[in-house]
Amino acid sequence: MPNKHIVYHIPVCPFSQRLEILLALRGQEDAVDFRVVDITKPRDPELLAKTRGTTALPVLETAEGTILKESLVILRYLDEVVKGPSLRRSDPVEHAIESMLIAQEGPFTMAGYLFVMNRDPDQRDSHLEKFLGLYRTMNDFLMAHSPEGPFLFESFGLAEAVFTPMFKRFWFLEYYEDFALPDGPEYARVRQWKAACMAHDATDQVSKEEIVKLYYDYALGAGNGALVEGRQVSSFAFNPPWQARPWPPKDKYTTSASDAELGLLP
Ligand SMILES: N[C@@H](CCC(=O)N[C@@H](CS)C(=O)NCC(=O)O)C(=O)O
């Protein structure tokens, strides 16, 4: 690529991590110029004009000024234009198979986020059941198309790049909901897939500690940099850095920590 693509993003965003994984797999981290957006601050009007008032990130701007949105679209685009072997399967049937698995990511992502954001203890079981049901569907799909594993095909590919950031994000469910995949055959294959995805070298852009600290406000029901009642600073703030903050309280149903308790005051 003669001129670099620009990607506007939130560094810890799972949708943007999909793109970072692709670049890491190719050893092409420098092929894209990442520009950090702080979602706790009002959006730059110039960027807002480019996205015609919409705010979701990541956004890719090509060297010619075309604006692309939606991480799956940007991922497939980068897969075509960045130097190196394609992530997508070249065989049409295999590509259709990976696309069917990818089609499960929307409901899975939504269910995980709604689960962590729920603060009504009476709703907890229904969130858990919904989430587990989606894992069983994935397990069934993997058993049908790739019973041996660990990946869908012989190596980490497009579907893995799509799902791994969500598997890592859902560390917040382990922490705030004590979520763990149950033992048993209904989950064995997806457990193996998830473990292989998460262990891959190209996916270490985020850590559990970072996710748990940054997503505290999500666990209190406040997403996308919104402020929790009584607080002045979002858990998504870049400063003080997450490394300098204590681990948040695990109990999201009855407590709400202050800015000071979360180490968010300078
Ligand atoms: N479907 C979109 C979702 C993107 C998304 O929700 N991004 C979040 C960050 S993780 C965001 O930009 N939130 C701020 C906003 O929507 O204003 C994609 O895959 O790109």
Side-chain angles (χ1 to χ4, degrees):
M1 285 191 296
N3 286 310
K4 278 192 182 185
H5 289 88
I6 299 169
V7 170
Y8 299 93
H9 80 143
I10 304 161
V12 81
C13 162
F15 305 102
S16 149
Q17 194 190 355
R18 290 173 172 159
L19 317 181
E20 295 175 75
I21 289 172
L22 177 136
L23 297 172
L25 285 164
R26 298 265 170 88
Q28 293 286 331
E29 286 90 339
D30 292 337
V32 165
D33 177 5
F34 281 100
R35 308 252 171 106
V36 170
V37 173
D38 184 345
I39 50 164
T40 67
K41 308 221 164 95
R43 196 62 54 87
D44 172 12
E46 216 175 295
L47 179 56
L48 267 186
K50 288 180 181 172
T51 56
R52 301 194 312 283
T54 62
T55 57
L57 299 167
V59 167
L60 182 143
E61 182 173 358
T62 67
E64 294 72 37
T66 303
I67 296 293
L68 304 180
K69 292 194 56 164
E70 287 301 324
S71 60
L72 296 184
V73 173
I74 300 173
L75 181 68
R76 288 170 185 268
Y77 171 74
L78 288 176
D79 195 31
E80 286 185 45
V81 300
V82 172
K83 211 165 64 189
S86 280
L87 260 189
R88 63 153 280 177
R89 303 299 292 183
S90 54
D91 176 78
V93 170
E94 289 184 354
H95 182 52
I97 290 170
E98 69 189 350
S99 298
M100 284 193 284
L101 183 51
I102 291 168
Q104 297 185 24
E105 76 77 37
F108 179 66
T109 299
M110 180 69 80
Y113 273 81
L114 291 178
F115 188 8
V116 80
M117 291 177 80
N118 169 55
R119 293 200 80 198
D120 177 355
D122 294 339
Q123 296 294 319
R124 185 182 182 277
D125 284 354
S126 74
H127 283 285
L128 176 63
E129 203 28 65
K130 171 119 213 232
F131 194 54
L132 286 175
L134 293 165
Y135 265 116
R136 289 193 297 273
T137 304
M138 268 192 255
N139 194 85
D140 176 71
F141 186 91
L142 289 163
M143 285 305 290
H145 294 285
S146 167
E148 300 298 326
F151 297 117
L152 177 58
F153 296 104
E154 63 274 4
S155 58
F156 189 104
L158 192 63
E160 285 79 12
V162 167
F163 277 91
T164 307
M166 292 309 157
F167 292 145
K168 297 213 167 183
R169 210 68 22 182
F170 296 158
W171 274 320
F172 56 45
L173 291 170
E174 288 177 19
Y175 188 80
Y176 294 112
E177 290 289 354
D178 284 326
F179 173 79
L181 269 182
D183 291 331
E186 299 163 285
Y187 302 100
R189 178 64 186 94
V190 73
R191 176 200 303 285
Q192 177 201 31
W193 188 51
K194 179 177 174 225
C197 287
M198 292 178 76
H200 196 284
D201 287 350
T203 69
D204 61 7
Q205 293 84 3
V206 292
S207 68
K208 179 169 182 177
E209 181 175 353
E210 179 179 14
I211 297 294
V212 164
K213 290 179 179 178
L214 265 59
Y215 282 79
Y216 179 66
D217 292 356
Y218 269 88
L220 299 189
N224 278 328
L227 272 182
V228 173
E229 216 185 301
R231 295 255 309 285
Q232 303 295 320
V233 189
S234 160
S235 59
F236 260 99
F238 296 152
N239 281 301
W242 60 266
Q243 293 91 336
R245 309 185 210 161
W247 286 78
K250 275 170 72 86
D251 175 12
K252 57 172 241 194
Y253 288 102
T254 60
T255 64
S256 180
S258 66
D259 290 330
E261 286 164 335
L262 295 168
L264 288 168
L265 300 178

